[in-house]
Amino acid sequence: MNQNLQQKTASNSPPVYNGGITIKSERELQAMRRAGAIVAETIAVLKQTAKPGTTTGRLDQIASREIRKRGAVPTFKGYRGFPGSICASVNEEIVHGIPGGRILEDGDLLKVDVGATIDSFIGDSAVTIGVGNISEEAAELIEVTEQSLYEGIAAAIDGARTGDIGHAVEQYAVSRGYGIVTEYVGHGIGRFLHEDPQVPNYGPAGRGAKLKKNMTIAIEPMVNIGGGKTRLLPDLWTVVTADGSLSAHFEHTIAINKGKAEILTKIQ
Ligand code: MG
Ligand code: MG
């Protein structure tokens, strides 16, 4: 990376991502821990407020307030023109749902995806929340999707490859009869929301970019009760399952270590 160019752009205009994998310094990791903690705290508040009768727009307001009162900014607001501070996707909506007037109903499966930027670094995390009383099949989908994320995190160690993560996620979810979304993937993250490498939720193992200590990536399995195929709604943001089946999504931003990866999007 060209140091002079970075310094120059930093003082004049927002930095521009020129591609490539970035290894974070300890100071940069500290900023990412702060960003990650703010995301985790915001998600904890959303879990408390996502009840039947609440709108997704209200959750967006609450998230924005929680992020800003901690000195950060909502990363997604205005990202490629995205209108919300968070993504809120319900039932067959997989990701990138736009918050608005939709009223949450008992039994809904709500996915919230939250990004926060502080000191120029970003945290990105998503959870699936059962609204009120959810069906047994929805509860099982949530459980398997969350566990598939942790299987992926367990595979994300120094020297492994992105394909090892995807393989672990896919094996876990597919062996339980679910469909994995392949058209959207996890990603490197740091100063920019989407950096290299891509982190697919499918194999094969042993392929893809090599993971190195202090690389930071977001792993984010999207798992459907039906098939993995997706469709884009006319708003050009909301991604839904092609077959209308329920979908779940979990995501953490992590830092690669020699051993177990460090989850950055957690309450410190
Ligand atoms: Mg996200
Ligand atoms: Mg992400």
Side-chain angles (χ1 to χ4, degrees):
M1 172 58 73
N2 186 313
Q3 195 66 34
N4 289 332
L5 179 66
Q6 261 205 332
Q7 281 166 356
K8 199 174 172 192
T9 52
S11 59
N12 295 326
S13 54
V16 175
Y17 180 57
N18 294 314
I21 292 171
T22 57
I23 303 292
K24 276 70 179 183
S25 68
E26 195 44 49
R27 196 184 58 80
E28 291 172 333
L29 280 178
Q30 278 300 348
M32 292 197 66
R33 284 185 192 105
R34 280 195 290 280
I38 291 167
V39 168
E41 287 162 17
T42 301
I43 284 175
V45 173
L46 293 178
K47 281 181 177 170
Q48 296 303 314
T49 32
K51 304 284 185 223
T54 311
T55 65
T56 55
R58 178 74 189 128
L59 297 179
D60 190 69
Q61 287 174 348
I62 290 167
S64 175
R65 190 189 67 204
E66 294 296 323
I67 292 166
R68 291 180 195 279
K69 82 178 183 195
R70 290 168 173 80
V73 295
T75 311
F76 303 163
K77 184 90 180 175
Y79 179 82
R80 295 185 178 172
F82 187 76
S85 291
I86 61 170
C87 301
S89 313
V90 182
N91 296 337
E92 79 286 0
E93 296 172 356
I94 303 169
V95 285
H96 305 164
I98 300 171
R102 182 168 185 159
I103 299 167
L104 295 174
E105 292 176 16
D106 190 59
D108 276 347
L109 214 55
L110 170 72
K111 282 104 338 174
V112 290
D113 196 338
V114 179
T117 308
I118 191 163
D119 298 338
S120 304
F121 283 86
I122 298 171
D124 183 13
S125 180
V127 294
T128 302
I129 302 168
V131 178
N133 299 301
I134 59 169
S135 67
E136 215 169 282
E137 66 166 3
E140 197 183 315
L141 173 68
I142 290 180
E143 198 185 302
V144 169
T145 308
E146 185 168 28
Q147 187 55 37
S148 76
L149 168 61
Y150 286 103
E151 298 292 324
I153 292 172
I157 53 171
D158 183 75
R161 290 180 182 272
T162 51
D164 297 322
I165 298 171
H167 182 71
V169 169
E170 183 182 35
Q171 282 291 107
Y172 189 82
V174 170
S175 69
R176 279 155 185 80
Y178 294 102
I180 283 273
V181 173
T182 57
E183 290 158 287
Y184 298 85
V185 297
H187 49 91
I189 180 168
R191 283 181 194 275
F192 304 93
L193 180 58
H194 297 125
E195 299 185 356
D196 292 334
Q198 291 197 345
V199 184
N201 295 303
Y202 52 93
R207 299 270 189 86
K210 202 172 220 180
L211 305 172
K212 292 202 181 77
K213 185 174 157 59
N214 290 5
M215 263 173 73
T216 48
I217 58 172
I219 304 178
E220 50 178 316
M222 289 145 271
V223 177
N224 304 342
I225 283 185
K229 286 228 166 358
T230 72
R231 194 163 61 83
L232 188 63
L233 292 190
D235 65 21
L236 299 181
W237 278 108
T238 313
V239 180
V240 299
T241 55
D243 58 12
S245 69
L246 282 179
S247 183
H249 179 213
F250 281 87
E251 175 179 30
H252 271 308
T253 298
I254 65 168
I256 303 299
N257 265 323
K258 290 287 177 197
K260 202 167 180 289
E262 177 185 354
I263 295 176
L264 300 172
T265 38
K266 65 168 190 209
I267 293 170
Q268 298 287 334

